[in-house]
Amino acid sequence: MNIKKIAILLLSFSVAAFAGKVITYTASSAVSQEEANNTAMAGVAKQVSSTVKTDDKLYTEDVSAGGKEKISQTYTSNKNVKTDVDLKWIKVTPLPKEGKRFRATATLDIDEMTNNIRLQMATAKEKLEKFEAAGRAALDASRYDEAARNLAAAEALLQPYAQLKAELAKVFTLNESFNLKHNLPGLKAAIASRLANISVQSVPARLVIDKDIITDLNVTVTDANGIVTDFPLKAVQNGKTLAERRTQDQGVAVFTIQNVEFGAGQHTLTLVPNFPKDILKAAGMAQGFVVQYEVKLPACNVRLDCKGNADGCKALTDQMAKQSIFVGNDSRYPLLAAEVKSTPKSSLNQLLSFDVAISVSGDRVSFSKSSKGVGKTESEAVSKAIGKLKFKELEQQVKATCGR
């Protein structure tokens, strides 16, 4: 049934308790027009609250704030009036003053309110049904991202519908026909179940790089039905997303990933399907698919004259080796001068904190960094501080010295 037909059908219904009624309330105030307006709205809200289960005739009564009819303070603030009936449905008309008293009449057209709310609810129902059906059809065709988008669109309708339903219940007796009928949890479970069985393969399988960028990484996604197109993936390393791609024809996504972890040896990054976290968790795919790569750097041999903290000098030598800068004694190797300074800062629960500063200098080399380390001993704290530092800049400077 289309929206137009639904609207006509809704407008033909009568409303229990308030069918065909207009609630009015007139109030006055010696303080301000705003107080008169609020008191009038409060009077309407109070009548809605007290007559929702009756079919008595509603009438207009001129009442002053604090006058002969008591209107609870909970009704005189806009915030609390809104909890009884949404203010957007109440129309307030200021009246001519009577002497020094401000006056106002508030009106609520019950038919207008209920018909509008029910039309919004019917529209939401129809949209939800379409989104759910579209999501299931997309999943059947292995269009996972489209299925997830339709699921999200359908779920976004649930809370607004519940709010409309609660608003309508203030003036209308509801039955089961006003309940939303759907199986969105089942659709979410189906998406997760299918995702759990996809396959992600990368080429080349053995990846070797000599700079901090991976180029032309071909990633193929397949499932039980074959290739999967328009499948969103992101490349993640150390909790940071480095690149995002979607599979194209033949189910292949081609990645260029910059600023990858770069130091001689083996490294990993993960390819994670770009879906909501709850779906990935249900599918057991939150950790993604691991891609291994190896960094091979041309060796650079240097001599190192390191002064200062001995443990720091050893840690510095180890970090340089990770950049393929190796320390030796051959007089033909270029000479680098280094210094490691460690300054104690504090101790807490048997842990020591040190500020550590290092510097390396030589022909076309000028490198300095500082960091803080914590450990049970000074050696451990200094080593951790140096381990936090990035040595890419030093590696680039030493290139010239090594003649590479």
Side-chain angles (χ1 to χ4, degrees):
M1 183 180 295
N2 61 36
I3 294 297
K4 186 175 181 180
K5 291 182 179 178
I6 292 174
I8 294 173
L9 179 61
L10 286 177
L11 293 173
S12 70
F13 288 153
S14 63
V15 181
F18 291 109
K21 290 179 178 177
V22 175
I23 302 176
T24 63
Y25 201 96
T26 300
S28 61
S29 168
V31 177
S32 66
Q33 185 65 53
E34 181 181 9
E35 184 179 84
N37 295 349
N38 286 348
T39 305
M41 288 189 292
V44 169
K46 184 177 180 181
Q47 291 187 74
V48 169
S49 177
S50 62
T51 59
V52 68
K53 295 183 179 179
T54 70
D55 199 23
D56 296 333
K57 182 179 180 181
L58 303 178
Y59 58 91
T60 301
E61 183 174 355
D62 191 346
V63 177
S64 299
K68 64 180 181 179
E69 180 175 330
K70 293 182 179 179
I71 297 179
S72 168
Q73 289 299 312
T74 60
Y75 283 102
T76 58
S77 71
N78 284 359
K79 179 180 178 181
N80 287 295
V81 171
K82 192 173 177 67
T83 64
D84 289 277
V85 58
D86 199 305
L87 290 178
K88 68 174 174 283
W89 304 112
I90 301 178
K91 299 176 182 178
V92 180
T93 304
L95 301 175
K97 292 176 65 176
E98 286 188 348
K100 295 183 179 181
R101 304 195 70 82
F102 298 91
R103 303 176 68 244
T105 292
T107 304
L108 174 63
D109 188 321
I110 297 297
D111 280 348
E112 178 185 11
M113 174 183 175
T114 55
N115 287 333
N116 190 300
I117 293 174
R118 294 180 70 178
L119 179 57
Q120 290 183 63
M121 293 172 69
T123 302
K125 272 188 174 183
E126 185 175 47
K127 286 183 177 179
L128 189 146
E129 291 172 358
K130 288 182 177 180
F131 285 137
E132 183 175 3
R136 293 188 180 279
L139 184 60
D140 290 340
S142 296
R143 298 194 302 271
Y144 294 91
D145 190 43
E146 183 181 338
R149 289 198 304 269
N150 278 284
L151 171 64
E155 289 179 329
L157 295 170
L158 298 181
Q159 183 60 31
Y161 186 91
Q163 293 172 344
L164 288 169
K165 184 178 176 182
E167 191 176 341
L168 184 60
K170 293 181 175 68
V171 295
F172 192 87
T173 302
L174 305 183
N175 55 39
E176 290 186 359
S177 68
F178 290 90
N179 295 335
L180 277 178
K181 296 180 180 179
H182 64 83
N183 187 18
L184 297 184
L187 174 57
K188 179 178 290 187
I191 294 174
S193 178
R194 288 281 301 276
L195 279 175
N197 294 303
I198 69 165
S199 172
V200 176
Q201 295 182 325
S202 59
V203 177
R206 185 177 180 273
L207 192 59
V208 180
I209 62 174
D210 59 4
K211 52 187 176 181
D212 65 345
I213 181 172
I214 295 174
T215 59
D216 297 328
L217 178 65
N218 287 255
V219 181
T220 303
V221 179
T222 58
D223 65 5
N225 296 327
I227 63 171
V228 178
T229 60
D230 197 34
F231 191 89
L233 289 165
K234 56 184 180 180
V236 179
Q237 190 173 58
N238 298 325
K240 183 180 180 181
T241 298
L242 301 181
E244 297 183 40
R245 295 289 187 275
R246 288 176 176 271
T247 57
Q248 305 298 316
D249 295 341
Q250 305 305 313
V252 176
V254 181
F255 276 87
T256 295
I257 309 171
Q258 297 181 340
N259 300 316
V260 297
E261 194 171 79
F262 191 63
Q266 298 287 337
H267 300 271
T268 63
L269 57 82
T270 55
L271 297 173
V272 183
N274 201 356
F275 289 92
K277 290 182 179 179
D278 57 341
I279 292 180
L280 289 181
K281 184 177 180 180
M285 297 179 62
Q287 301 304 314
F289 299 84
V290 176
V291 174
Q292 294 185 333
Y293 66 94
E294 182 180 3
V295 175
K296 283 192 173 181
L297 300 174
C300 178
N301 296 305
V302 298
R303 288 175 294 156
L304 184 68
D305 180 14
C306 186
K307 293 180 171 58
N309 186 287
D311 294 313
C313 286
K314 182 180 184 306
L316 173 60
T317 300
D318 292 341
Q319 292 299 320
M320 291 171 61
K322 291 182 179 180
Q323 302 296 321
S324 291
I325 305 172
F326 300 104
V327 175
N329 298 317
D330 195 316
S331 61
R332 292 173 297 179
Y333 298 163
L335 177 63
L336 298 179
E339 185 176 14
V340 179
K341 294 181 180 180
S342 60
T343 306
K345 296 298 293 181
S346 61
S347 61
L348 179 64
N349 296 330
Q350 298 183 339
L351 292 177
L352 305 177
S353 175
F354 282 83
D355 282 344
V356 178
I358 68 170
S359 63
V360 181
S361 60
D363 181 24
R364 288 174 284 183
V365 175
S366 179
F367 176 82
S368 62
K369 294 284 183 180
S370 61
S371 181
K372 177 182 289 186
V374 178
K376 295 181 180 180
T377 64
E378 179 179 358
S379 174
E380 181 181 358
V382 171
S383 295
K384 286 185 176 180
I386 293 178
K388 294 178 182 179
L389 300 176
K390 302 296 184 182
F391 287 86
K392 180 180 178 181
E393 181 183 348
L394 176 62
E395 188 270 336
Q396 291 175 336
Q397 292 179 11
V398 175
K399 277 183 180 180
T401 301
C402 289
R404 285 192 275 143

